[in-house]
Amino acid sequence: MSDSLSSDLTLLRQRMRHSASHVMAGAVLELFPEAKLGIGPPTEDGFYYDFLVSRPFTPEDLQAIEERMRKAVGLSLPFQRRVLSRGEAGEQFADQPFKLEILRDIPPEEPITTYRHGSFEDLCEGPHVATTANIAAFKLLSVAGAYWRGDERKPMLQRVYGTAFEAQEALDGYLHKLEEAKRRDHRLLGRELGLFLMDPVAPASPFFLPKGATVYNLLIQYVRELYTRYGYQEVITPQVFASELWKRSGHYENYRDLMFFTYADDREYGIKPMNCPGHALLYASQVRSYRELPVRFADFGRLHRFERSGVLHGLTRVRSFSQDDAHIFCTPAQIHQETRRFIEMLQETYKLFGFQQVRMALSLRPEKRMGSDDVWDRAEAALRSVLDEAGLPYEPKPGEGAFYGPKVDFFVPDALDREWQLGTIQLDFSLPERFDLEYVAEDGSRQRPVVLHRAMLGSLDRFLGVLIEHYGGAFPAWLAPVQAVIIPIADRHVTYARTVEARLKAEGLRVQVDDGQDRMNAKIRQAQLQKVPFMLVIGDREAASQGVAVRLRSGESPGTMPLAEATALVLRAAASRV
Amino acid sequence: MSDSLSSDLTLLRQRMRHSASHVMAGAVLELFPEAKLGIGPPTEDGFYYDFLVSRPFTPEDLQAIEERMRKAVGLSLPFQRRVLSRGEAGEQFADQPFKLEILRDIPPEEPITTYRHGSFEDLCEGPHVATTANIAAFKLLSVAGAYWRGDERKPMLQRVYGTAFEAQEALDGYLHKLEEAKRRDHRLLGRELGLFLMDPVAPASPFFLPKGATVYNLLIQYVRELYTRYGYQEVITPQVFASELWKRSGHYENYRDLMFFTYADDREYGIKPMNCPGHALLYASQVRSYRELPVRFADFGRLHRFERSGVLHGLTRVRSFSQDDAHIFCTPAQIHQETRRFIEMLQETYKLFGFQQVRMALSLRPEKRMGSDDVWDRAEAALRSVLDEAGLPYEPKPGEGAFYGPKVDFFVPDALDREWQLGTIQLDFSLPERFDLEYVAEDGSRQRPVVLHRAMLGSLDRFLGVLIEHYGGAFPAWLAPVQAVIIPIADRHVTYARTVEARLKAEGLRVQVDDGQDRMNAKIRQAQLQKVPFMLVIGDREAASQGVAVRLRSGESPGTMPLAEATALVLRAAASRV
């Protein structure tokens, strides 16, 4: 779809959804004449309208409202705009106190307009579709409480959510995705699959259960393998630093509200929200020659940031997390090559996880910045030329760079087409100044290195949340916490099942024997619910022939085969990492 | 050596060292007649005496004192005991204010005794050797400041340290060990070998440099392999918990002074000093059947404890560390088997690191305790029978168990025969009560599990410090941060050296090319100083024949061999883990 078509569609949907919210308000007033109306705007995915009514809406109410709406749509009622004087408007909305409040807030020089369809007239700037018949496909979705004007000291209204699309198929597609997103909610799957849990004594700090910890550690292991290939050096740095350090790094001035502090020996200490200052100390702990550069320090250290309770959401917004964090200390001339290598590593990684469509945003110099124009010119040119070479589309964002340097952010859509920001690479001219970092150049002079902050996956905790939803919990074999469940049909098959287990474990595979009392089909269903990639079923025939009957999570049944063959099958799947 | 002989020797050394301290004090008074004497006891490894003199002792002073002492020893002066009245003693020590202070503190019913050799007489309870000639071999070692009576408000005296042995060889052996211990000091080696560093902005919190982090992660990887074999499940738990949790666990009452606290959302949070309460929450997060038990949760989470600055010492006493920590939740009947398996794992591990002589201490019920006598009987009997079965000597320590259960501590001597406590296994009847932990027994009833706290290596940071000293920095090939250095003799050999590097890296080995401008011998020396196990030297002959000349850290030279053979040699050494 071309950009202009896509933006036409966006505008059409906005109008249609706005009109649907009017139609909904009209229907509510027919059913609840005493209802007081709040506001009813379109949103990115649909629309809502806020109502003050004497009792909570029930699912049956929503159905009745939807039916009334269908009738109004069937009547092809035109939307008619009207300009009113303030006096007329005050009369018109005399029994709608929230509307009167809005009215009072409209500046005197602005016109007062309403839109009417049928007998319902609403204070509104528009625009709307021509008639109610233009609302091609719609559905009411849910109700939730919402304070008037978002202010908890004001009355709580009921917000009814709905959505509308230009065609039934588009609506169906959206509803399916919504259903799928609910089914894949990582908070739900996290519990069902025994991956992680939360507890109020540690707000927004996940507990990874054995299976979740397995996946977490596999992600770290994967990144470590990349680090070996791409020349990174892992370090382990403290978590608690005296505030002097945070003052020097600028975090105390700019980031303090998001930090946790503690006290000892009459000194204030900050728990690290980032690894950079620690890495700057490591860099500065010895004289560095240009021949050593680039120095690439990687650190899986746990970070703590005080996110407000309101914005917390499962694993995707937490207070305690580790990152695949690294800092590259290099010469300005090395920015190009280091960024290129980073993007190579990142593309290799995203592809592995099935994130094919990487979108990039290049944030350029802001007005308030440090570093000379010459340095910015070269840094921005280096980033641009790397992105151009990579042949990937990117959006320049003038003025959006940090004061300390330009950056590239990387976004990917998951299996449900929801976009996540994962990676980032940020040039930093400030940190080397603040920590007086140097290297001895070829001519013996002392020079400032540049620092590149970079992460591919970002917070591993959040990335695991994204992955759970992306895979719907069905991790590929290399990441699956349990790669195969061995299912003895009867008690007499358990001994051989243990042999199979030992054999697979000896190959380094993660396997379990289900020796419970359930029947085979229940055991298979259980393994499928747990999204285990391979099921190895053992009955008389398999035990006698030293084989196993292989079934896949997908429902396929490759059938009975010798144990060696089945082992090779699982090993191949795990090694291929797809 | 039998126990009684060993204890005879201990008593002899104590007497001899005590006598040597008198001889030293006599010599000091001859040289510094105005000196005021403090005390001069024997210690575990030698003796000291405290003096107040007008200027600090120099190394030359120590030499002169030692010479005077030799003269006194040569004269075979007898040690003579004398009983004095308080009046006589007051007169005798009239110009020794510290002695007068001691005199005043002697209870009236106790006799006042002195020991005299030659013209020197000291207030002293004894016992001493017969004559100065019995001080067979001695040496003065060092001087340090020491407050009178350890009280910083009192005068600072000079403490002269020395030691004495029954034979010159024993003294030489001791001095050699002392020298070796200094050479192996992990703080020194940590810096020299690029393993770790400390910085005052993070007191007692090590920064592990790339090489140190490599060893650290290899230790974790080794423990993880054991965990797979021994049926442990790794989990990842938060670091910051609301104080409610610490109140529930009892840490808030008993351990608060050693904890760091922080504040958010008007709530107090404690940074975890231990993993146990978090693991109790994990255990309690689902209904547990007897069939699941034992549940073994392992956690490498970083812990923080506020150790006072005074007791900090390199890696061996830090504020921030990870442990090879695990908690076993089991039925009382499983205590025996779980302890046995733990000791098996521990012995396997200690043997690997060359700690052959494990000493064990079994701490038994204290007066103040929780849990019925019946439970204690069974728990202690279980531990005893496991230790008896293991056939290892252990020392029962009646009354020294924690109030929550009995425990076994494990001690090992390192390469210099210094003893370290590493492992521990502690039974806990309290935690399951506090967290109301249960399992469903075979008869459907709800029962309390027991918790076993256990660690083999203890703090990994501290263990790494112990290992550095134990190996003198020369880690075995499997743990060495760099396993082989490839040394091209001239620039024309660098290309082939890179091929060799790639080949070894592809095998998962940790290697470096020394392509600097130093001569071959300097490069070899450098690699030896860095304690790299293998050096692969490449000259014309090796490059032409696709071979390498192998040299070992020990100085041995297995000589030139084909690259495949050398690779196999390094791989074998790494795989053998010795």
Side-chain angles (χ1 to χ4, degrees), chain B residues 420-446:
Chain B
W420 299 92
Q421 192 205 323
L422 296 180
T424 190
I425 183 164
Q426 312 191 354
L427 268 58
D428 191 337
F429 309 125
S430 165
L431 191 74
E433 288 290 333
R434 284 177 179 271
F435 284 86
D436 197 21
L437 304 183
E438 292 184 333
Y439 64 91
V440 180
E442 205 161 357
D443 63 4
S445 65
R446 301 267 165 160

Side-chain angles (χ1 to χ4, degrees), chain A residues 191 197 200-201 203 205 208 210 213 217 224 234-236 238-239 241-242 261-262 265 267 269 271 285 304 306 319, chain B residues 191 197 200-201 203 205 208 210 213 217 224 234-236 238-239 241-242 261-262 265 267 269 285 304 306 319:
Chain A
R191 188 83 201 186
L197 55 85
V201 295
S205 304
F208 290 99
N217 287 334
R224 278 191 177 137
E234 191 178 331
V235 297
I236 301 171
Q239 289 191 302
F241 292 93
F261 289 89
T262 186
D265 292 330
R267 227 170 149 192
Y269 292 86
I271 303 175
S285 71
H304 289 83
F306 178 59
R319 288 186 183 168
Chain B
R191 187 83 201 186
L197 55 86
V201 295
S205 304
F208 291 99
N217 287 334
R224 278 193 177 135
E234 190 179 333
V235 296
I236 301 172
Q239 288 191 303
F241 292 94
F261 288 90
T262 185
D265 293 331
R267 229 169 146 191
Y269 292 86
S285 70
H304 288 83
F306 179 59
R319 289 186 182 167

